[in-house]
Amino acid sequence: MFFLSEEKLAERERKRQERVRRLGVKLRNWCNVDNIVDASVDLFLILFDVLSSPILIVMRLVRFVIGNYLLGGVKNKIKKVAHWVEDKHIIIKIVVWTLIICVAGCILTLMWIFGQAFAEFIMEEWGHQAIEI
């Protein structure tokens, strides 16, 4: 980089080497026998489950998407509301949190209803070949 001095370039290189060294130390700490055995057993179980029931691939992807994006988004919205309500009057706090609890109850009820309907649909379509959870 032509616009940085030699000292800054040397400092950047030293910091990069330090990060690489710390990463190597962490990697050595993670790669012990216990962790390798646990990871290989988990990998074998996942592969065995997937090979024995391909629907699990779809279910795992759905669970991953729901976990990362939907629930993460809900958590972020609740945190934003909590920070917004921090310095408000006590009545506003009570009203806002009551509304949040009511809305959460409605959403959970709707999720339960749609889950039951989906389970009924699966049982109707595939009968005894349905997903056993």
Side-chain angles (χ1 to χ4, degrees):
M1 297 187 183
F2 61 91
F3 53 87
L4 291 177
S5 67
E6 292 294 324
E7 295 86 27
K8 288 193 180 207
L9 284 174
E11 179 67 20
R12 271 191 178 178
E13 181 63 23
R14 188 188 62 72
K15 286 181 180 179
R16 188 192 66 78
Q17 288 176 352
E18 179 63 24
R19 284 193 307 266
V20 169
R21 188 191 65 75
R22 280 185 281 155
L23 182 64
V25 169
K26 284 184 183 180
L27 191 61
R28 279 192 297 276
N29 289 339
W30 288 341
C31 290
N32 57 27
V33 174
D34 291 334
N35 289 345
I36 292 172
V37 169
D38 288 342
S40 60
V41 168
D42 290 342
L43 183 64
F44 172 74
L45 289 173
I46 289 171
L47 289 175
F48 180 74
D49 284 344
V50 167
L51 292 176
S52 65
S53 179
I55 190 70
L56 289 177
I57 296 171
V58 176
M59 295 306 292
R60 288 181 195 276
L61 287 174
V62 168
R63 193 176 81 189
F64 174 76
V65 167
I66 288 173
N68 273 0
Y69 298 108
L70 296 180
L71 295 180
V74 169
K75 280 192 241 179
N76 287 338
K77 299 298 186 261
I78 291 173
K79 287 178 185 178
K80 284 182 183 178
V81 169
H83 289 298
W84 180 78
V85 170
E86 268 180 10
D87 56 348
K88 302 294 184 214
H89 194 270
I90 188 73
I91 295 174
I92 294 175
K93 289 181 183 181
I94 292 171
V95 169
V96 167
W97 286 113
T98 305
L99 284 173
I100 287 176
I101 291 171
C102 290
V103 168
C106 292
I107 289 173
L108 288 174
T109 304
L110 286 174
M111 288 173 61
W112 175 72
I113 289 171
F114 283 120
Q116 291 295 319
F118 182 70
E120 289 295 323
F121 170 74
I122 294 291
M123 286 302 289
E124 185 178 308
E125 286 294 319
W126 289 290
H128 296 294
Q129 298 172 355
I131 305 170
E132 293 188 23
I133 298 176

